[in-house]
Amino acid sequence: MTVTRTATHTRAASRRIALVVTFLLALLSFVAPGRAHAASLQEVTGFGSNPGALRMFRYVPDGLPAGRPVVVALHGCTQDASGYGAGSGWIQLADRWKFSVVLPQQQSANNASNCFDWFQTGDIARGQGEAASIAQMLDRQLADSGGDASRAYVTGLSAGGAMTSVMMAAYPEKFAAGGVVAGLPYGCAQAAGSPYVCMYVGATQTAKQWGDRVRAARAGYTGPWPTLTVFQGSADYTVKPVNMTDLMKQWTDVQGADQNADVSDTVAGYPHQVFRDSAGRAVVETYSITGMGHGQPVDPGSGSEQCGSAGAYILDVNLCAAYRLGLTWGLAG
């Protein structure tokens, strides 16, 4: 009798649990319809001749209308498209503000550390190598999404930041603006004689010499040139802060502006400067993240100015670089 009662009670309890589980599943499907069909990162193949042998990933929010901006986001060394897209906050902002994100991914066959090859002459020239592959990805996304070609932007961290400089120089007509995070000026490895000298010491160039390197990358081009925003940690010992100064010199010269800041203030407590051209247009903007090492600034949370999630080379400093870039580029509106 005791055994029989225990078995009966067990079967009854199991039925009750099953009913509760069924009810909860039904409730979840009611309150979150279509959850299984939410947007996700997708790989795209056949996007062009792909001379740089890169992989293309993209994130397109559900129901994205035509005519929306496109952001190309380039990961750093040892990272990949998925991790950088989520960690930096770009995917989060794409859902919030409704734009699409192209996330190129390096392959270990090209670079053992998964760095974009910003220092290789064959990968940074117009029409060649990795630069050409990234340009083809943007063209494919604009065509597929009906995106606004006048509102395409490029950004990246570290080697991805250096490759951002490459895209701005080699394909200036494709990008309205660029955002370099802990990156390097265009042609820095060639100017310094070594990528490591460029990273750890910097290259000795005047503003005009820096600008000439960009102008040579797109011979005969007269503009408009992309505007530039730079984020740099003051305690970055992988890419020294002098590179932010050199980026400022390079792109103010390209834009016909001087190297004297027109605005010097703080944002989230960090030194911030704006450089304007003769028409008063902001053409270069810099953020020096005091005490930050080598990485992408983020500010995890659900607040209106927050985005990103901390991880390796993605650093919580109470300022999200992706948010600041999106604000500057008008993505929020």
Side-chain angles (χ1 to χ4, degrees), residues 308-319:
S309 56
Y313 303 110
I314 300 181
L315 308 176
D316 181 359
V317 295
N318 298 317
L319 179 148

Side-chain angles (χ1 to χ4, degrees), residues 129-321:
E130 293 175 15
S133 292
I134 295 166
Q136 290 174 356
M137 294 181 200
L138 173 61
D139 290 344
R140 171 66 185 270
Q141 180 56 19
L142 287 169
D144 287 355
S145 67
D148 184 348
S150 70
R151 299 183 69 197
Y153 307 91
V154 59
T155 184
L157 165 66
S158 191
M163 208 66 188
T164 295
S165 297
V166 169
M167 300 310 297
M168 292 173 65
Y171 293 93
E173 77 283 2
K174 290 186 180 294
F175 299 101
V180 174
V181 183
L184 303 138
Y186 178 73
C188 189
Q190 289 72 27
S194 158
Y196 297 107
V197 173
C198 173
M199 292 162 58
Y200 302 145
V201 179
T204 304
Q205 301 271 277
T206 65
K208 184 179 183 302
Q209 287 173 322
W210 278 125
D212 285 345
R213 290 185 176 275
V214 170
R215 286 182 284 269
R218 183 69 168 91
Y221 184 72
T222 58
W225 294 93
T227 60
L228 172 68
T229 303
V230 187
F231 295 83
Q232 175 70 48
S234 70
D236 188 337
Y237 302 111
T238 301
V239 174
K240 289 295 185 69
V242 66
N243 287 289
M244 180 169 75
T245 301
D246 289 341
L247 277 160
M248 178 275 291
K249 290 180 179 179
Q250 184 168 64
W251 287 94
T252 49
D253 184 77
V254 168
Q255 296 280 8
D258 62 34
Q259 287 78 56
N260 299 310
D262 296 281
V263 175
S264 292
D265 58 9
T266 60
V267 173
Y270 299 117
H272 166 250
Q273 292 188 318
V274 178
F275 300 80
R276 302 188 187 278
D277 64 13
S278 57
R281 187 174 66 109
V283 292
V284 174
E285 185 178 21
T286 64
Y287 292 82
S288 177
I289 310 301
T290 312
M292 188 182 81
H294 189 63
Q296 175 95 13
V298 295
D299 185 14
S302 57
S304 61
E305 297 188 5
Q306 292 182 292
C307 62
S309 56
Y313 303 110
I314 300 181
L315 308 176
D316 181 359
V317 295
N318 298 317
L319 179 148
C320 186

